[in-house]
C-alpha cells in the first residue's frame, strides 16, 4: 500500500482550517460559527496525527489529538446549550440580531 505524502495531508488540513476560518468570519448564524470552530479543531487534529505518523517512536501527537477531541466535544455540548438558551430568549440564532445581554 502506498503511503500518502505529508504535503498532501498538510494541504488538506490547511483547506479545512481555511474553510473553518471563513465560516467563523463570514457567517452570522451561531450554529454555523460553531461548525466552523469544529473544522478548525479537526484541521489541528489532522496535523497532529500526520506529524505523529511520520515519527513512529513518539505517540504524543495522537494522544494530544485525543485530548483535543475530548475538549471539542465538551465545547460543542456547552456551546449548543448556550445557543439553545439564547434562542429561547431572543427567538433568533443570528449573531447580528443578538446585541444585548440582560441579567
Amino acid at each position: 500500500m502506498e503511503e500518502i505524502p505529508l504535503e498532501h495531508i498538510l494541504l488538506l488540513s490547511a483547506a479545512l482550517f481555511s474553510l473553518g476560518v471563513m465560516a467563523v468570519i463570514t457567517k452570522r448564524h451561531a450554529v454555523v460559527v460553531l461548525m466552523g470552530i469544529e473544522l478548525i479543531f479537526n484541521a489541528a487534529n489532522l496535523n497532529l496525527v500526520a506529524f505523529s505518523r511520520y515519527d513512529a517512536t513518539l505517540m504524543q501527537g495522537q494522544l494530544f489529538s485525543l485530548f483535543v477531541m475530548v475538549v471539542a466535544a465538551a465545547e460543542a455540548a456547552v456551546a449548543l446549550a448556550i445557543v439553545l438558551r439564547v434562542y429561547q430568549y431572543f427567538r433568533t440564532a443570528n449573531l447580528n440580531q443578538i446585541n444585548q445581554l440582560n441579567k
Side-chain angles (χ1 to χ4, degrees):
M1 188 163 115
E2 189 173 321
E3 189 171 312
I4 300 172
L6 181 62
E7 294 82 17
H8 293 175
I9 299 172
L10 295 179
L11 285 174
L12 176 64
S13 177
L16 283 175
F17 186 82
S18 300
L19 287 172
V21 169
M22 272 183 32
V24 169
I25 291 174
T26 61
K27 302 299 180 185
R28 293 296 155 224
H29 195 275
V31 175
V32 177
V33 171
L34 291 175
M35 289 189 323
I37 292 171
E38 291 298 321
L39 277 175
I40 292 170
F41 280 149
N42 287 332
N45 281 342
L46 187 59
N47 275 339
L48 290 169
V49 171
F51 285 122
S52 175
R53 181 174 178 201
Y54 286 95
D55 189 7
T57 60
L58 301 174
M59 297 294 287
Q60 287 98 353
Q62 292 177 6
L63 293 175
F64 192 68
S65 179
L66 287 173
F67 176 73
V68 170
M69 281 189 256
V70 169
V71 170
E75 172 263 336
V78 170
L80 285 175
I82 291 170
V83 168
L84 286 174
R85 291 298 286 173
V86 167
Y87 182 79
Q88 286 178 347
Y89 184 78
F90 290 104
R91 294 290 179 220
T92 184
N94 189 341
L95 296 177
N96 287 337
Q97 295 175 352
I98 303 169
N99 57 6
Q100 64 180 356
L101 293 176
N102 291 336
K103 295 179 185 177

